[in-house]
Amino acid sequence: MATGDERIADQLRAALDGPWRDVRDQARKQLDERLCGDPYLDYKDARTRVLTQMRLVSGFGWAERGFRVANGGTGDPGAAVTALEMLAYTDLSLWVKCGVQWGLFGGAVENLGTERHREYVQRLLPLDLLGCFAMTETGHGSDVANLETTATYDPDTQEFVVHSPTPSARKDYIGGAAEHARIAAVFAQLITGGESQGVHCFLVPIRDEDGNDLHGVTTSDCGLKGGLPGVDNGRILFDQVRIPRENLLNRYADVAADGTYSSEIANPSRRFFTTLGTLVRGRVSVGGAAAAGARVALSIAIRYAEQRRQFADPDTGVETVLMDYRSHQRRLLPRVARSYALAFAQNDLVQRMHLVQTGQETDPQAQRALEKRAAGFKVAQTRHATDTIQECREACGGAGYLTENRLVTLKADTDVFTTFEGDNLVLTQLVAKELLTAYSDEVRDLDAMGWVRFAATAARDVVRERSGVRQMIQRLRDRSDEGVDEADLSRRSVQLQLFADREDYLVRTAGHRLRARAKETGPFEAFNNAQDHILAAGNAHIERLVLEAFIDGIAEIEDPDVRALADTVCDLFVYSTIEENQAWFIMHRFMSVERSKQVRRSVNELVDRLRPHALTLVQGMGVPEQMLRAAMLDSTALNPLAAVPR
């Protein structure tokens, strides 16, 4: 197989591997064919295979890093997320199953439980206890606050009675619920003394050791899905199921033997969001795995494009390598640039998560900022995966449609990533709402009308004043009074200013639109009317954060040749992003028509410059070659000239 510049690729890989590069290097040595999927298995056999593979992974010591020392772990959540992300290079069914067991179920017990639940952690780590995470219901997915399942306290027996009062209260799409899980972390409305205290999490046994449903529990199988055949998604109904009082995960609230409810967080809304905020690791992990899937697809597609030839050059009579066509460069290299950008963004996000969850970051605003950033990056990464894998499939023609070349499997397995751990539109809306409300403690718990009124007062430059982007621009820029349209768009400060100006404008005008509509109608109608505008503001904010992370990541590269190549990749990310949004920039007079034409020309120039480095760039992304497993890369039988030096 052809290779790029190994020295530069190694240093790019080290930069992209981030703070836990030693974890990634060790994982690359541990990943082998035993962890790979088999697309020819039916879904029952695929589930059995994945469970066997999980037991192999449990011996690597990766999961223990995500748990506190007191619970039998090593207290290194950043390393845990990083190591498990590497499983996305093998089989995404395996990654999801591990994520459910140690991330979602284990994370709920670890972060919402107390010392009385330590035994559960000690059993779930070595897979002695298989669990599932039962939050989503048939009738409520993103709207967690209005889940219908109830857990009513009975002081006479000191038990909670868990019940599904309606068909729509059925727990649905739950990984592990169809076959393997023996216990569920169930989110339900806690009721005591006839009063609901909101959604809390409870440990509810659902099967005996032989796999039979326990009394009052009915499980069923979701059956075949669009992908992830090795994940046993299922449904759970509860009919007056009794559990001990101690099965309430009571880190943030508890119920005494007599039924008295208590919590150190008096505000119900803050208590709810604090509970959900501790589970942010799952959202961080989903985005990282999606981006890893996109890197696999690009690694396959670009390697294929370096060997596949199509149509002869009339001057030489030699068929042209696909990667030499401008159209092929344009469809793949900007996506490589975005993959680099998102890799740096993920490194920054994991580091922030690690500092918060290990108590090294004690700023009370840090957790909320982490949740917003995790939501935004999950949106960016999963959308990138969906778009990129499809483009790679098409770029490989008929070969890309063969299961043996893996792209269709990647496409199917990552499709749902835009939905679970938060629907992407809902998460984008969450990001935008934070932009409009996160500037003052006084507005954090406003009702809908209060939020609409506050949003309308957002000052034009509030985004940059509050986020620190202004300081970054000043650090990067020379003293100049040039407007963006006249300034040199190749300068980082100008690029960042353009991204920030777009975000500023969208946030400010969304606020004005909310205020104008609120004068004529209610707060819901005002919000609903401006939803497209609000989503655009959220997306602009995400793009700006990703660019900042890319710039910071490049600054850490010491070798001038490697940094220069990374700078060019960053330019391609910037110019291709502007090109995608050029209609907006022109319409709102942030850019002239002539400047937008220059942007298009610049994309062409940049892909030309990066063309000789295509293999180096995909090697720098760090996907182990033994994990590519695409048959079309292992043979030149259809193309005798593929091995001819260019």
Side-chain angles (χ1 to χ4, degrees):
M1 188 180 293
T3 60
D5 186 316
E6 292 185 9
R7 181 186 69 85
I8 292 180
D10 287 345
Q11 293 197 42
L12 285 173
R13 182 167 55 249
L16 262 64
D17 278 354
W20 285 273
R21 61 179 56 93
D22 58 326
V23 172
R24 292 189 187 275
D25 281 339
Q26 182 61 33
R28 289 187 182 101
K29 298 173 184 176
Q30 293 172 295
L31 300 179
D32 58 41
E33 66 279 355
R34 295 174 299 169
L35 301 175
C36 295
D38 182 350
Y40 296 98
L41 295 177
D42 67 29
Y43 74 99
K44 289 286 189 179
D45 289 337
R47 292 173 179 179
T48 300
R49 177 178 179 133
V50 166
L51 185 58
T52 300
Q53 291 170 323
M54 280 183 69
R55 299 196 184 282
L56 180 63
V57 174
S58 71
F60 293 167
W62 295 355
E64 284 81 355
R65 291 168 166 161
F67 293 83
R68 289 186 287 272
V69 174
N71 286 340
T74 61
D76 192 352
V81 169
T82 301
L84 289 172
E85 179 193 304
M86 298 296 286
L87 285 177
Y89 294 147
T90 62
D91 177 13
L92 283 165
S93 286
L94 175 59
W95 179 84
V96 170
K97 280 286 286 187
C98 290
V100 167
Q101 174 70 13
W102 294 309
L104 294 178
F105 171 65
V109 181
E110 164 92 349
N111 294 304
L112 300 180
T114 56
E115 291 78 6
R116 74 189 190 196
H117 305 108
R118 183 170 297 160
E119 176 191 352
Y120 292 98
V121 177
Q122 293 169 344
R123 292 177 61 203
L124 70 87
L125 272 171
L127 303 183
D128 292 338
L129 178 66
L130 294 173
C132 62
F133 184 81
M135 177 182 282
T136 299
E137 296 177 356
T138 304
H140 291 86
S142 299
D143 187 6
V144 178
N146 287 306
L147 295 176
E148 296 179 79
T149 303
T150 58
T152 305
Y153 186 66
D154 181 354
D156 293 335
T157 61
Q158 296 188 29
E159 294 173 316
F160 284 100
V161 182
V162 181
H163 186 60
S164 307
T166 67
S168 60
R170 178 184 66 184
K171 295 297 180 181
D172 217 340
Y173 325 118
I174 311 301
E179 290 188 38
H180 297 152
R182 298 295 184 262
I183 189 169
V186 177
F187 287 78
Q189 302 286 348
L190 189 159
I191 300 171
T192 183
E195 183 178 356
S196 176
Q197 299 293 343
V199 172
H200 293 64
C201 189
F202 304 81
L203 294 177
V204 185
I206 59 174
R207 289 190 179 90
D208 62 25
E209 290 305 311
D210 296 322
N212 301 308
D213 288 351
L214 294 176
H215 179 71
V217 176
T218 301
T219 65
S220 56
D221 198 322
C222 289
L224 287 172
K225 308 182 296 294
L228 302 172
V231 183
D232 53 322
N233 294 88
R235 304 175 173 113
I236 314 172
L237 278 166
F238 302 101
D239 184 9
Q240 308 292 338
V241 176
R242 290 181 171 268
I243 58 172
R245 178 176 65 91
E246 292 76 14
N247 282 29
L248 166 65
L249 296 178
N250 64 327
R251 179 170 298 277
Y252 297 109
D254 208 351
V255 173
D258 65 358
T260 301
Y261 179 85
S262 61
S263 174
E264 294 182 358
I265 306 174
N267 185 294
S269 177
R270 289 199 179 185
R271 184 165 62 242
F272 171 72
F273 285 109
T274 299
T275 297
L276 294 189
T278 62
L279 306 175
V280 70
R281 196 183 306 177
R283 194 165 285 165
V284 172
S285 299
V286 167
R295 292 194 293 272
V296 173
L298 285 165
S299 298
I300 293 171
I302 287 181
R303 282 178 166 89
Y304 182 68
E306 289 281 10
Q307 73 177 41
R308 180 72 162 91
R309 293 174 180 268
Q310 191 73 277
F311 302 110
D313 183 328
D315 295 327
T316 65
V318 178
E319 289 186 316
T320 304
V321 173
L322 290 179
M323 204 63 211
D324 282 345
Y325 286 104
R326 169 69 59 74
S327 60
H328 221 75
Q329 296 163 12
R330 262 187 160 269
R331 75 193 309 183
L332 295 180
L333 290 177
R335 290 173 171 83
V336 170
R338 185 168 288 270
S339 285
Y340 269 72
L342 291 171
F344 283 121
Q346 178 72 0
N347 289 341
D348 175 74
L349 178 64
V350 172
Q351 192 161 33
R352 290 170 185 266
M353 180 211 74
H354 179 83
L355 293 174
V356 168
Q357 296 197 339
T358 57
Q360 297 176 69
E361 173 57 81
T362 58
D363 184 343
Q365 303 303 320
Q367 174 69 41
R368 197 171 185 103
L370 173 65
E371 293 165 25
K372 181 187 71 173
R373 190 172 291 251
F377 287 177
K378 186 266 183 183
V379 170
Q381 290 166 313
T382 56
R383 283 181 178 162
H384 171 64
T386 298
D387 166 72
T388 295
I389 295 169
Q390 175 64 24
E391 197 67 32
C392 289
R393 205 296 298 157
E394 294 182 28
C396 293
Y401 197 59
L402 298 181
T403 299
E404 68 177 13
N405 291 322
R406 203 178 172 196
L407 294 171
V408 288
T409 301
L410 282 169
K411 179 182 172 183
D413 287 347
T414 57
D415 190 18
V416 75
F417 282 35
T418 61
T419 299
F420 68 43
E421 282 298 312
D423 173 86
N424 276 3
L425 282 180
V426 174
L427 292 184
T428 306
Q429 183 174 294
L430 180 153
V431 169
K433 182 176 178 181
E434 283 294 302
L435 286 176
L436 291 164
T437 63
Y439 309 116
S440 170
D441 284 335
E442 302 91 69
V443 302
R444 188 147 296 149
D445 299 305
L446 289 178
D447 59 16
M449 178 58 83
W451 174 58
V452 168
R453 286 172 177 162
F454 173 77
T457 69
R460 183 188 189 287
D461 213 29
V462 72
V463 170
R464 283 180 285 175
E465 291 290 355
R466 296 287 180 162
S467 68
V469 68
R470 173 179 292 283
Q471 292 89 332
M472 191 175 202
I473 292 171
Q474 285 301 127
R475 174 169 59 82
L476 292 169
R477 74 186 304 178
D478 300 322
R479 291 185 178 274
S480 173
D481 295 325
E482 291 178 301
V484 170
D485 201 50
E486 296 79 28
D488 182 359
L489 197 52
S490 67
R491 286 164 43 197
R492 285 281 177 262
S493 61
V494 177
Q495 295 169 357
L496 188 56
Q497 182 175 333
L498 187 60
F499 277 48
D501 282 348
R502 176 175 174 234
E503 179 186 354
D504 269 347
Y505 181 89
L506 284 165
V507 172
R508 177 171 54 88
T509 53
H512 289 319
R513 185 171 169 185
L514 284 166
R515 180 175 60 181
R517 187 70 174 180
K519 292 177 180 178
E520 305 168 4
T521 184
F524 174 78
E525 283 299 322
F527 177 83
N528 200 40
N529 174 262
Q531 197 167 26
D532 59 327
H533 200 143
I534 290 165
L535 291 170
N539 284 321
H541 176 70
I542 294 165
E543 295 282 11
R544 193 261 297 171
L545 290 182
V546 172
L547 176 57
E548 285 187 23
F550 203 163
I551 294 170
D552 282 338
I554 291 172
E556 298 297 318
I557 300 174
E558 296 181 358
D559 186 290
D561 294 335
V562 179
R563 187 168 59 248
L565 180 57
D567 268 322
T568 304
V569 175
C570 186
D571 280 336
L572 181 55
F573 167 70
V574 170
Y575 280 96
S576 57
T577 300
I578 295 171
E579 185 179 44
E580 289 174 5
N581 296 282
Q582 64 182 359
W584 187 93
F585 284 112
I586 294 171
M587 185 186 306
H588 294 86
R589 300 186 180 183
F590 279 74
M591 184 174 290
S592 67
V593 173
E594 187 53 44
R595 172 55 72 92
S596 72
K597 291 178 182 178
Q598 179 57 47
V599 167
R600 186 181 69 248
R601 290 191 293 269
S602 295
V603 172
N604 289 338
E605 292 167 4
L606 287 164
V607 297
D608 280 346
R609 287 168 57 189
L610 290 173
R611 162 66 188 101
H613 305 284
L615 278 174
T616 300
L617 292 174
V618 296
Q619 289 173 323
M621 289 193 294
V623 181
E625 288 195 20
Q626 74 272 19
M627 290 292 104
L628 296 179
R629 304 189 332 276
M632 64 186 175
L633 301 182
D634 299 329
S635 171
T636 58
L638 295 178
N639 183 7
L641 296 177
V644 175
R646 298 181 54 253

